[in-house]
């Protein structure tokens, strides 16, 4: 099997009704980086890719009700690895994230926190990077 260390092999799809506001929030609150934004002919955003500084990223875009990818607003959830959850928590709260769980040490050795974005999607950040 051939592998490429720089290729992202998984892209969580997070539903957003207001894609422009979502981009602003995710960049400001969490530190995602804009990597690709594809506008449609009507000025609406068709596709978004935001990269995570430690690798990987998320995608979202236009999905009508008939799409296999259509999900209700606020139904997205993701766990994201970070080296400094306390600083990221402060940044997220300052940007308007709703606190679900303040930073705390977990019995499996991670330090985690959980917040909701303005559209109700749940974001968990922690130091656990998998085994």
């Amino acid at each position: 099997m051939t592998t490429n260390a720089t290729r992202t092999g998984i892209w969580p799809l997070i539903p957003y009704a207001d894609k422009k506001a979502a981009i602003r929030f995710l960049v400001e609150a969490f530190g995602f980086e804009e990597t690709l934004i594809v506008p449609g002919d009507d000025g609406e955003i068709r596709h978004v890719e935001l990269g995570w500084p430690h690798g990987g990223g998320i995608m979202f875009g236009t999905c009508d009700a008939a799409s296999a990818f259509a999900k209700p607003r606020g139904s997205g959830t993701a766990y994201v690895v970070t080296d400094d959850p306390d600083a990221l928590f402060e940044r997220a709260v300052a940007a308007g994230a709703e606190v679900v769980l303040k930073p705390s040490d977990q019995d499996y050795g991670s330090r985690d926190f959980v917040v909701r974005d303005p559209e109700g999607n749940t974001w968990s950040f922690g130091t656990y990077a998998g085994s």
Side-chain angles (χ1 to χ4, degrees):
M1 178 170 89
T2 303
T3 61
N4 179 344
T6 62
R7 190 176 95 196
T8 299
I10 187 166
W11 289 90
L13 303 173
I14 308 294
Y16 286 104
D18 187 338
K19 291 165 215 49
K20 290 177 184 175
I23 293 166
R24 283 190 307 272
F25 177 81
L26 294 168
V27 168
E28 180 182 339
F30 302 145
F32 279 96
E33 299 167 347
E34 293 181 28
T35 54
L36 179 66
I37 303 200
V38 179
D41 295 335
D42 57 1
E44 187 66 27
I45 294 174
R46 294 286 178 226
H47 180 76
V48 176
E49 293 178 14
L50 299 179
W52 184 241
H54 300 286
I58 61 167
M59 287 195 268
F60 53 94
T62 303
C63 290
D64 60 28
S67 170
F69 299 106
K71 299 289 181 206
R73 182 178 182 218
S75 64
T77 187
Y79 173 80
V80 184
V81 177
T82 181
D83 293 333
D84 192 350
D86 293 285
L88 186 56
F89 174 78
E90 295 301 326
R91 176 180 178 161
V93 170
E98 175 191 343
V99 177
V100 176
L101 175 68
K102 291 181 179 181
S104 59
D105 295 324
Q106 305 302 315
D107 59 3
Y108 49 88
S110 185
R111 183 153 178 86
D112 297 351
F113 73 89
V114 181
V115 294
R116 283 195 187 88
D117 66 29
E119 290 202 18
N121 297 300
T122 305
W123 292 88
S124 177
F125 292 87
T127 57
Y128 180 73
S131 56

